Amino acid sequence: MAMSVGGDSATETPMSDINTTPLVDVMLVLLIIFLIAVPVVVQSVKLKLPDVRFDPTTTKPENVSLSITSADGVCKVYWGLTPVTHQELLDRAVAKLKAEIARQGGPNAPGLELPEAHIRGDVNTPWRCIGGAIFNMQMAGFAKVGFISEPPPGENPERL
């Protein structure tokens, strides 16, 4: 605050100007503190993310195709075109994986390529149905479980 000293007290009026120098000093100090502190707080791991526009699914004969629907709250899982229960799904998946590993020369064979599970879920199917099928396939030993989707009509698949 400013204060005037001396002079005729009868003619003087109080000074209404505010000294902004201390305020500017405090703001500059805060700005410097934030400029130093922000890079320390904001940390990120440098990554090179993949540049994938459209990755078409390659269907191999050894891959498992599952279709999942729901009617009246009951989950229905189809192995190909055959309806299966959750226990049958697990048993068939284990048998399929064992047969494929044996066909390729055993678990220690060089270049072992395990089959994938491709899941096609109906839009109106509850997530618990699809999640149960994923869980069963992972319990059977399938490392790659993917979803098959259909792009909206009229959309260019190269721009995905």
Side-chain angles (χ1 to χ4, degrees):
M1 294 172 80
M3 183 166 146
S4 109
V5 181
D8 189 9
S9 61
T11 61
E12 289 192 28
T13 60
M15 184 181 230
S16 63
D17 294 335
I18 296 176
N19 186 2
T20 58
T21 304
L23 176 66
V24 171
D25 290 343
V26 169
M27 296 305 283
L28 286 174
V29 168
L30 287 175
L31 177 66
I32 291 170
I33 290 172
F34 284 129
L35 286 175
I36 293 171
V38 167
V40 174
V41 174
V42 179
Q43 296 178 357
S44 64
V45 176
K46 295 192 185 267
L47 298 174
K48 179 166 181 359
L49 298 175
D51 184 23
V52 177
R53 295 179 142 220
F54 181 69
D55 193 12
T57 304
T58 55
T59 304
K60 301 175 193 171
E62 63 268 9
N63 290 346
V64 175
S65 177
L66 300 177
S67 300
I68 303 171
T69 62
S70 174
D72 299 327
V74 177
C75 301
K76 295 183 180 182
V77 180
Y78 296 89
W79 182 290
L81 297 174
T82 308
V84 293
T85 65
H86 287 288
Q87 186 60 43
E88 291 173 341
L89 175 63
L90 183 61
D91 295 340
R92 284 182 107 173
V94 168
K96 172 75 173 178
L97 199 57
K98 283 183 180 179
E100 188 59 34
I101 290 172
R103 185 185 72 80
Q104 292 187 25
N108 296 327
L112 181 67
E113 290 187 28
L114 296 176
E116 302 173 4
H118 295 170
I119 296 178
R120 296 176 22 177
D122 188 56
V123 174
N124 299 320
T125 302
W127 176 246
R128 64 179 174 80
C129 298
I130 297 171
I134 293 170
F135 179 75
N136 278 340
M137 297 308 284
Q138 288 176 338
M139 289 295 296
F142 279 79
K144 293 184 179 180
V145 179
F147 295 103
I148 304 297
S149 63
E150 187 175 318
E155 188 172 312
N156 187 0
E158 292 179 357
R159 296 189 324 178
L160 287 177

